[in-house]
Amino acid sequence: MYNKYLELFGIEVSDLQRLINIALEEGGDYADLYFEHSISNELALRDGEVNAAGSHIDYGVGIRVLSGDQTGYAYSEITTMPQMEKAARTAARIATSASGSYIPPQNITLLQGNNRYPIIKGWEQTTVTDKIPYLNRLNTLVFDADSRVVKVMARISDSITKILFYNSLGETYADLRPMVSVTCNCVMQDGGKIESGGTSRSFRSGFEMIDDRLIDTIAEEVISKTAFLFGAKQPKGGEMQVVMGSGSSGILLHEAVGHAFEADFNRKGTSIFSDMMGKQVCHNSINIIDDGTIKGNRGAVNYDDEGIPGQKTYLVKDGILNSYLHDRISASYYNTAPTGNGRRESFRYMPLPRMRATYMESGNLPEEELIASVKNGIYADNFSNGQVQIGAGDFTFFVKSGYLIENGKLTQPIKDINIIGNGPQALKDIIAVADNNTIDNSTWTCGKEQYCPVSCGMPSVLVNKLTVGGSN
Amino acid sequence: MMENNILNNRQEKELAKEALEISLKNGAEHARVTLNMGMQNAFAVLDGKLDRLHMANDRSLYIQLYSKGRYGVFSTNRMERDELEYFIKQSIAATTLLAEDKCRTLPEKSLYFKGECEDLGQFDPTVLTLSPDTKKEIAFNAYNEIEGKSKLLISANTEYGDYLDYQYMIDSQSFEGESLQSGFTISAECSVKGRSDARPEAWWYDSTMQFSDFHPQGCGTVALERALAKLSPKKIKSGRYRMIVENSCASRLLSPIISALNGDSIQQNNSFLLNKLGQKVFPEHLNLIDTPHLKGMSGSRYFDAEGIATKDLQIIGSGVVNTYFINTYYANKMGVRATVEGPSVPSFSTEGYENQYRNLTLAEMIKIVGDGIFVTGFNGGNCNGTTGDFSYGIEGFLIKNGEIAHPIREMNITGNMISLWNTLLFTGNDARRCTRWQVPSLAFECADFTGL
């Protein structure tokens, strides 16, 4: 594969090293080249017909130079040597020492061995005709399931990204990264009331991931989520106990913990967790992980975008803050090893510490026990988006649906409320963890400066106090 | 230099024309080709050191194909002719496999933008000549406004950025249009030491299309002042409060209305403004207009993404919904006439207000409101586009006796968009010129806040 990628980008290993030499001419400490060729396709169903398709090609190389913790970055969409040399010289300008003292590596190390997204049926061999029946099936299933359905929109998006990486240490790899997402939204009308709902699945995989079983699951889910909303309402708000259902409530970890543990924020001292390494941040039974090794997961990486192997990183171990999420810059600052979290949206962006799949390990209580212990609170099990203020620690997530908990029982369905809390306090306030950790495979995308596919997971947990939006 | 390529773009424009020809020769009855070219530069300073230098040039072709009543949209940044021809042929082949959809057509020709018009003042050649040293100096000057000004400062970063964007659009009904925009931006962000482990942070930015209008001074100072103002926030009691939403974030409340007016939402029965055209939904004094030909504004344009001519428009007049934004596809689906696909420079007119409320500064608004909450930022949350129900996290300040009392934390506002807008008291005179949507500070009679 490696030689094929050299051919794809029209370059030889000697050229790669020549570009690195140019990039470090001004005295930079480290440089890398990130070649990318991506083809993405989408196919959409609307009003009962698969009637829109798209394909998009993106191609180019990003050249990064590090000088201490300073970064020079330039990219070119044309991979001829003169264009790339120009980009390398631009990136080189970040360094300010009179001349470079870079000694090229004697040996080239080909990074290989990880295979976290094997492909059985490649997207390049899959046609529109192969995909259409699945969208039609989805449409039929949703309309047949409930007479209140008035509209269905469904979409299959797939992509293949070919990466060729080379750095000033002589480390190089080629990586083929697939991605597929199936999304479905429906609108239901019941008398004069209209509700809409949606669901999705996304994996790093080939076409083999799409089968009737997946389509059936998505159809059932979109129907149940939308139908649920007719009986739901926004609750009375205020501070209360919250049981977060397993799966997509991992957004709590992503917002409240994950971002604040990204080492670029901590390096600058702007995260509320900046001075907490090695300290107890929650109950000692809790372990929180960011993991790039889950096969086929949306956040899986064989190697990150700066040549570090994808790995499993304990952010919190036995309740103690164990590790930040590092890229090369922050790892160097903290004098520790990078954790494989240097990720980027495309060759147009420089890598930053980014999450992969962030989840909490299971505890040992049944979920029912958590619910039964709450006198007045809510149970939330379906989420759409979240946000965090890194410094203040205030995080939010939006609850699409859930229930009131009254005297230990799920009662009134609820919907469309924002929950807000403070990260360190919310971690301390997790007072029970269930035995049902689930990774949520929806199309989660993190938007920290640039977009990056991620996933999250969580067992059901009981948080002692969060502020729930609602009427007064 | 790429800069010259953007201005001397004959080769790329020829390629766009060729792409149109290739599409038509290979089976598409109609096509639209859009060439996008761009250049960006950024110099970022972190804690007194140049942190990041970023330079980028982009170009791509975006091709919409209408083949045998079928529709596909394709894009590539691979601009070699042979490769492009192969890509278009493959794209047409894929498109013909789709279901027929006769609503997919180019716009009615009479709606197109035609002819020469006055320059919108969106391009300043200074963007091509400003030296890297000057750019760096602007970023450092902003940083110097922050450094040493507070013992509580933890970290500050500032950034100067500029861009040049060019767009050229042609279609098979002989539409041809182009636009060229430059921009100059300064931004600053800082974190300060708060109570306990908290590190309140704040940012500020300014942006113009003409360098002569660009006044980066003060950006760093404002960011620091905003961060320091957030020290020692208190969570307050849940309740119904009067609310002022600052101009810096007020577009968050307009955005759900614009989305609900969009043809996609309307045609899919997925809008809380469905079947509301011509109806009085909002208060009498709510007048929302679109003025797409204002000079030097980043949202100004003579034509939309389909080539349809823009014009002054009353979106909401005296509380009545006067227009949906319906592109050709949804117009065909719904059997109505197409409009522009979205607003360009929407703003609020104060013609419905009594004289004393027509030209209010933010300070005057706070005085008049007396007691309430001043929202300066939203923290997450969402709005259900079908029902208009919303719930957002907020940050801001308690207003007491017409003055800012103290910052607040960990609070939500929840309600319904139509109900909230029906409590609109008045709008300010402070829409920021650097934003595409000209949304000023907004005052509402009541909103449901949850806190303690």
Side-chain angles (χ1 to χ4, degrees):
Chain A
M1 182 163 89
Y2 187 76
N3 288 334
K4 277 190 180 168
Y5 281 25
L6 288 173
E7 202 177 311
L8 170 70
F9 294 107
I11 198 158
E12 294 179 6
V13 173
S14 57
D15 296 330
L16 298 172
Q17 187 56 52
R18 176 171 159 68
L19 288 168
I20 292 288
N21 293 347
I22 293 169
L24 294 177
E25 267 174 5
E26 304 290 330
D29 307 318
Y30 168 89
D32 56 31
L33 312 173
Y34 183 85
F35 291 81
E36 180 179 21
H37 179 234
S38 73
I39 301 174
S40 55
N41 305 296
E42 74 256 351
L43 189 64
L45 176 144
R46 175 187 290 260
D47 295 331
E49 302 281 6
V50 181
N51 54 14
S55 287
H56 309 280
I57 295 175
D58 205 18
Y59 177 97
V61 57
I63 301 179
R64 177 176 69 149
V65 176
L66 300 183
S67 178
D69 50 10
Q70 299 168 281
T71 305
Y73 197 78
Y75 66 79
S76 173
E77 295 178 309
I78 301 168
T79 56
T80 58
M81 280 306 279
Q83 287 292 332
M84 292 193 289
E85 285 172 10
K86 188 179 152 193
R89 288 197 174 91
T90 301
R93 285 168 43 192
I94 192 70
T96 49
S97 58
S99 63
S101 56
Y102 170 62
I103 301 167
Q106 296 204 326
N107 298 308
I108 307 297
T109 308
L110 180 61
L111 305 172
Q112 56 187 347
N114 292 335
N115 185 22
R116 299 192 172 117
Y117 17 89
I119 299 169
I120 297 170
K121 183 161 187 202
W123 292 107
E124 285 160 314
Q125 292 78 49
T126 304
T127 66
V128 166
T129 314
D130 295 325
K131 301 173 208 169
I132 286 174
Y134 291 107
L135 289 176
N136 283 331
R137 179 182 177 88
L138 191 46
N139 184 62
T140 304
L141 286 170
V142 176
F143 268 107
D144 287 353
D146 196 311
S147 60
R148 294 173 294 179
V149 174
V150 292
K151 295 281 183 184
V152 173
M153 283 182 290
R155 178 180 292 262
I156 295 174
S157 308
D158 60 78
S159 67
I160 280 291
T161 303
K162 294 172 180 171
I163 305 292
L164 178 68
F165 174 87
Y166 187 88
N167 69 13
S168 53
L169 307 171
E171 296 166 337
T172 186
Y173 72 76
D175 200 15
L176 177 64
R177 298 176 181 171
M179 187 71 82
V180 55
S181 304
V182 183
T183 59
C184 184
N185 293 75
C186 83
V187 179
M188 287 186 183
Q189 189 158 3
D190 193 345
K193 208 172 172 193
I194 299 175
E195 293 286 358
S196 65
T199 198
S200 63
R201 290 290 187 280
S202 184
F203 303 94
R204 280 204 184 282
S205 87
F207 182 54
E208 68 279 1
M209 185 54 70
I210 300 182
D211 57 18
D212 286 350
R213 202 174 58 159
L214 178 76
I215 297 300
D216 294 357
T217 303
I218 291 174
E220 282 166 25
E221 206 167 279
V222 76
I223 284 289
S224 70
K225 282 183 174 180
T226 312
F228 178 90
L229 299 174
F230 285 103
K233 58 184 189 184
Q234 291 181 318
K236 186 172 172 0
E239 288 186 340
M240 59 188 80
Q241 288 194 320
V242 177
V243 175
M244 313 270 297
S246 68
S248 63
S249 56
I251 193 170
L252 169 85
L253 299 178
H254 183 96
E255 301 298 349
V257 178
H259 278 304
F261 283 27
E262 287 166 340
D264 46 348
F265 295 122
N266 289 282
R267 176 170 66 88
K268 296 172 194 167
T270 58
S271 166
I272 196 163
F273 287 98
S274 293
D275 297 327
M276 296 191 192
M277 183 57 69
K279 293 184 180 167
Q280 188 89 34
V281 291
C282 54
H283 190 271
N284 61 16
S285 64
I286 292 175
N287 295 309
I288 301 171
I289 291 151
D290 183 74
D291 195 345
T293 69
I294 302 171
K295 221 168 203 175
N297 184 271
R298 198 170 151 78
V301 286
N302 286 331
Y303 296 91
D304 75 0
D305 298 336
E306 44 179 19
I308 305 296
Q311 51 203 268
K312 183 174 174 176
T313 308
Y314 275 83
L315 302 177
V316 174
K317 183 108 177 115
D318 302 328
I320 291 169
L321 203 170
N322 179 68
S323 174
Y324 294 135
L325 300 175
H326 290 290
D327 62 359
R328 282 185 187 270
I329 296 176
S330 66
S332 167
Y333 176 85
Y334 282 102
N335 197 23
T336 187
T339 53
N341 288 89
R343 303 181 67 198
R344 53 179 131 194
E345 181 177 334
S346 74
F347 67 89
R348 292 188 171 80
Y349 299 86
M350 58 186 79
L352 297 170
R354 308 296 300 264
M355 281 171 265
R356 299 160 301 199
T358 313
Y359 60 90
M360 181 184 288
E361 287 182 343
S362 283
N364 51 17
L365 296 170
E367 184 191 60
E368 298 73 29
E369 209 167 296
L370 272 56
I371 296 167
S373 69
V374 176
K375 190 164 187 305
N376 286 302
I378 67 161
Y379 174 85
D381 64 353
N382 183 16
F383 305 85
S384 65
N385 57 290
Q387 195 172 315
V388 65
Q389 293 172 333
I390 299 292
D394 287 357
F395 67 90
T396 71
F397 47 88
F398 191 75
V399 178
K400 282 303 294 175
S401 64
Y403 293 89
L404 288 183
I405 305 176
E406 294 170 292
N407 298 317
K409 296 210 172 350
L410 301 182
T411 57
Q412 169 65 44
I414 59 169
K415 63 173 180 177
D416 294 334
I417 46 161
N418 203 48
I419 292 185
I420 191 163
N422 186 269
Q425 190 57 48
L427 271 181
K428 285 178 198 156
D429 281 345
I430 296 175
I431 53 176
V433 181
D435 55 4
N436 57 350
N437 177 38
T438 309
I439 300 291
D440 186 83
N441 290 311
S442 303
T443 51
W444 295 104
T445 301
C446 178
K448 176 189 171 188
E449 297 181 37
Q450 31 173 298
Y451 292 104
C452 213
V454 295
S455 70
C456 60
M458 187 97 154
S460 299
V461 299
L462 170 56
V463 186
N464 196 36
K465 192 167 70 179
L466 289 170
T467 303
V468 176
S471 57
N472 288 290
Chain B
M1 285 168 66
M2 184 66 182
E3 293 92 304
N4 292 332
N5 284 350
I6 293 178
L7 297 184
N8 303 316
N9 47 33
R10 205 179 53 157
Q11 197 182 329
E12 284 83 2
K13 279 172 79 170
E14 284 306 315
L15 196 65
K17 287 175 187 168
E18 271 192 69
L20 183 63
E21 273 174 35
I22 293 167
S23 303
L24 299 176
K25 268 188 199 159
N26 287 280
E29 281 84 44
H30 282 290
R32 179 187 298 118
V33 177
T34 307
L35 165 70
N36 293 300
M37 298 176 75
M39 171 198 90
Q40 298 98 38
N41 292 291
F43 288 77
V45 175
L46 171 66
D47 298 334
K49 274 198 312 188
L50 184 65
D51 180 55
R52 203 158 38 82
L53 168 66
H54 192 165
M55 293 186 184
N57 297 300
D58 295 279
R59 52 179 201 165
S60 65
L61 282 178
Y62 184 77
I63 303 163
Q64 290 160 280
L65 298 172
Y66 302 80
S67 177
K68 300 187 176 69
R70 290 152 174 91
Y71 174 75
V73 52
F74 304 88
S75 69
T76 181
N77 68 348
R78 301 288 287 161
M79 306 287 256
E80 288 74 21
R81 197 199 176 281
D82 290 348
E83 203 170 322
L84 185 63
E85 180 163 5
Y86 176 76
F87 177 64
I88 292 172
K89 283 180 177 171
Q90 293 286 103
S91 301
I92 292 171
T95 302
T96 53
L97 297 172
L98 301 173
E100 190 177 11
D101 187 348
K102 290 193 168 150
C103 296
R104 293 285 188 187
T105 65
L106 289 177
E108 195 182 307
K109 283 186 189 175
S110 63
L111 296 174
Y112 278 144
F113 165 69
K114 296 174 197 79
E116 298 290 312
C117 278
E118 203 180 343
D119 179 26
L120 287 172
Q122 295 175 307
F123 169 62
D124 180 349
T126 311
V127 75
L128 303 174
T129 56
L130 214 56
S131 75
D133 284 343
T134 303
K135 298 174 184 187
K136 215 185 318 183
E137 189 184 335
I138 295 170
F140 271 101
N141 285 346
Y143 176 78
N144 291 336
E145 291 176 10
I146 302 170
E147 190 188 30
K149 302 296 188 298
S150 169
K151 281 189 261 180
L152 296 174
L153 182 71
I154 294 171
S155 177
N157 59 281
T158 57
E159 182 170 316
Y160 165 83
D162 56 38
Y163 69 86
L164 180 61
D165 282 336
Y166 171 74
Q167 188 187 73
Y168 172 67
M169 191 163 82
I170 46 171
D171 74 19
S172 52
Q173 293 187 144
S174 304
F175 173 82
E176 187 169 12
E178 59 189 333
S179 70
L180 182 64
Q181 298 193 345
S182 58
F184 307 88
T185 302
I186 183 73
S187 61
E189 187 176 13
C190 44
S191 297
V192 294
K193 179 84 188 88
R195 205 168 39 186
S196 183
D197 292 313
R199 291 147 200 255
E201 60 206 331
W203 53 268
W204 197 243
Y205 82 101
D206 205 355
S207 179
T208 61
M209 306 193 86
Q210 299 288 330
F211 194 68
S212 56
D213 297 332
F214 186 55
H215 301 296
Q217 301 83 359
C219 183
T221 304
V222 173
L224 180 61
E225 284 170 359
R226 290 176 74 90
L228 292 171
K230 291 181 177 181
L231 291 170
S232 305
K234 294 174 192 161
K235 195 169 182 174
I236 61 171
K237 271 193 175 172
S238 301
R240 306 200 90 193
Y241 293 85
R242 283 187 164 191
M243 172 172 76
I244 296 176
V245 182
E246 194 186 33
N247 58 0
S248 62
C249 60
S251 61
R252 185 77 184 261
L253 297 182
L254 177 61
S255 178
I257 292 178
I258 299 298
S259 297
L261 295 171
N262 186 280
D264 182 7
S265 309
I266 299 292
Q267 192 270 333
Q268 288 292 308
N269 291 7
N270 201 9
S271 163
F272 64 88
L273 293 176
L274 183 67
N275 301 323
K276 297 284 195 260
L277 195 62
Q279 291 187 26
K280 189 169 177 302
V281 176
F282 299 105
E284 185 75 23
H285 55 282
L286 179 56
N287 290 285
L288 183 65
I289 56 174
D290 191 23
T291 44
H293 304 156
L294 287 178
K295 276 193 166 185
M297 305 296 287
S298 60
S300 291
R301 55 183 180 163
Y302 281 121
F303 56 88
D304 73 358
E306 293 192 292
I308 292 180
T310 57
K311 58 184 179 190
D312 286 357
L313 200 63
Q314 192 176 51
I315 303 167
I316 297 169
S318 301
V320 175
V321 176
N322 282 332
T323 188
Y324 288 148
F325 294 103
I326 301 177
N327 68 16
T328 302
Y329 178 57
Y330 294 113
N332 290 342
K333 283 232 163 203
M334 294 189 278
V336 299
R337 195 143 199 248
T339 68
V340 289
E341 95 288 9
S344 305
V345 188
S347 63
F348 290 89
S349 152
T350 54
E351 67 182 52
Y353 294 124
E354 290 173 35
N355 275 342
Q356 69 265 34
Y357 297 128
R358 282 196 173 179
N359 193 28
L360 296 173
T361 63
L362 177 60
E364 288 167 338
M365 291 171 76
I366 291 171
K367 268 280 180 267
I368 295 170
V369 161
D371 294 303
I373 289 176
F374 176 39
V375 173
T376 56
F378 289 97
N379 187 2
N382 212 328
C383 175
N384 181 330
T386 312
T387 61
D389 291 342
F390 68 85
S391 188
Y392 300 116
I394 58 108
E395 58 178 356
F397 300 84
L398 181 70
I399 303 170
K400 266 182 125 170
N401 302 320
E403 310 230 322
I404 298 291
H406 60 76
I408 56 172
R409 66 176 178 86
E410 265 187 80
M411 295 191 73
N412 288 306
I413 55 166
T414 301
N416 180 274
M417 274 296 154
I418 292 179
S419 309
L420 177 73
W421 278 94
N422 270 289
T423 73
L424 180 72
L425 291 169
F426 37 76
T427 57
N429 65 357
D430 59 350
R432 298 196 71 206
R433 194 172 161 79
C434 59
T435 58
R436 196 164 83 81
W437 288 10
Q438 289 293 285
V439 186
S441 298
L442 305 168
F444 297 90
E445 176 58 37
C446 62
D448 270 315
F449 285 83
T450 48
L452 288 172

